[in-house]
Amino acid sequence: MMLSFLYFLSFLLTKGVGIDRTLRFFQVTGTWLARLPHSHKTLDEIERNLLEALKRVPVAAKCLDQAVVAWTVLNFYRYPAIFRIGLSLSPVESHAWVVVNERVFVDTYNLSDLKVVAEYPSWETVKK
């Protein structure tokens, strides 16, 4: 249930305040929540949970929103998740995805055709 809400929140925030502020909001909130006791999850468990929650979202959560939530959840569980946005000029396409140690989340494109135009590091590497 909570992940479906995060997809919906990401959908609203990315359209309302932009990607930079959305990611900052999720990072600050997630870092605070990660201090509370919680169980650890494997990458496979997280991926399954993300895909299941996506089925229950009342809006069309595209790759940008999926990547925001994946980046947030993976960082919450202390995985070094990197958020990337890529662009192709011919044909014009864009895609957002998350990488953890070469494992790709939100992988629907041939990522080798995209040039990374924006990258947001894991929470651990960001100076507080």
Side-chain angles (χ1 to χ4, degrees), residues 31-124:
T31 301
W32 183 81
L33 289 173
R35 295 178 185 155
L36 302 174
H38 60 279
S39 61
H40 183 75
K41 291 190 178 189
T42 67
L43 289 174
D44 290 334
E45 289 173 316
I46 293 170
E47 186 170 42
R48 264 193 314 276
N49 291 342
L50 289 168
L51 292 172
E52 281 299 312
L54 189 58
K55 296 175 186 175
R56 296 187 301 272
V57 179
V59 295
K62 301 294 185 189
C63 64
L64 182 63
D65 304 311
Q66 293 175 39
V68 167
V69 174
W71 181 77
T72 301
V73 172
L74 289 162
N75 275 289
F76 174 84
Y77 287 106
R78 303 215 186 284
Y79 289 102
I82 300 169
F83 182 100
R84 292 185 176 148
I85 298 174
L87 182 65
S88 168
L89 294 178
S90 181
V92 176
E93 292 181 317
S94 63
H95 185 58
W97 68 98
V98 176
V99 178
V100 175
N101 300 328
E102 305 301 320
R103 181 171 175 172
V104 177
F105 291 79
V106 195
D107 181 17
T108 57
Y109 279 78
N110 184 357
L111 298 178
S112 63
D113 292 343
L114 299 172
K115 177 174 175 42
V116 175
V117 295
E119 185 172 276
Y120 298 84
S122 69
W123 298 351
E124 296 294 320

Side-chain angles (χ1 to χ4, degrees), residues 21-35 71-72 123 128:
R21 288 182 179 160
T22 299
L23 289 177
R24 184 70 182 140
F25 170 80
F26 275 87
Q27 178 186 355
V28 169
T29 306
T31 301
W32 183 81
L33 289 173
R35 295 178 185 155
W71 181 77
T72 301
W123 298 351
K128 309 264 190 251

